[in-house]
Amino acid sequence: MNKKDAANFKKILIQKRTELLNKVNNAQKELDSSSEENVGDEIDTASQNSQKEMYFELAANDKITLDTINDAIAKVERGTFGKCECCGENITLERLKAIPWSRYCIKCQEEAERPRK
Ligand SMILES: [Zn+2]
C-alpha cells in the first residue's frame, strides 16, 4: 500500500473513532441519567435493567471496535497497515474500503470463522 492510500485510511479511521467515542459517551450518559429517574416502580426497574443491558452490550461492542481501530491507526504509523496479521499478505483494497480496520485477509478471516470439526 502506498503512503497516500495509508494516509487516507488513517483519516477514515480517525473519523470513525471519533464517531464511536461519541456513541459510547452518549450511551454512558443515557445509562447514568436513566438510573437516576423513576426509582421505586418494579416494572419500570425491570425494563430499565434490560435497557441498561442493551446499552452496555452496545458499548462493549463499540469498545472492541474502538480498540481495533486504534490498532489499525498504530499500524498506519508503523507502516504495516493493510497486511494480514495472520499470513502477512496484503489485504485487498476493496476489503479495506468496506472495513478499514480489518485485521485479516479474506482467506484467513474465512478460515477463522469456519466452524471447527
Ligand atoms: Zn491472511
Side-chain angles (χ1 to χ4, degrees), residues 84 86-88 105 108:
C84 173
C86 178
C87 66
C105 68
C108 293

Side-chain angles (χ1 to χ4, degrees), residues 68-90:
T68 317
I69 290 175
N70 279 330
D71 279 355
I73 293 170
K75 279 193 277 183
V76 175
E77 278 155 10
R78 283 200 303 267
T80 58
F81 178 78
K83 291 214 189 307
C84 173
E85 284 180 22
C86 178
C87 66
E89 291 290 321
N90 287 325

Side-chain angles (χ1 to χ4, degrees), residues 52-62:
K52 258 189 200 178
E53 264 165 42
M54 198 189 76
Y55 278 125
F56 188 77
E57 229 164 80
L58 253 178
N61 280 334
D62 285 341

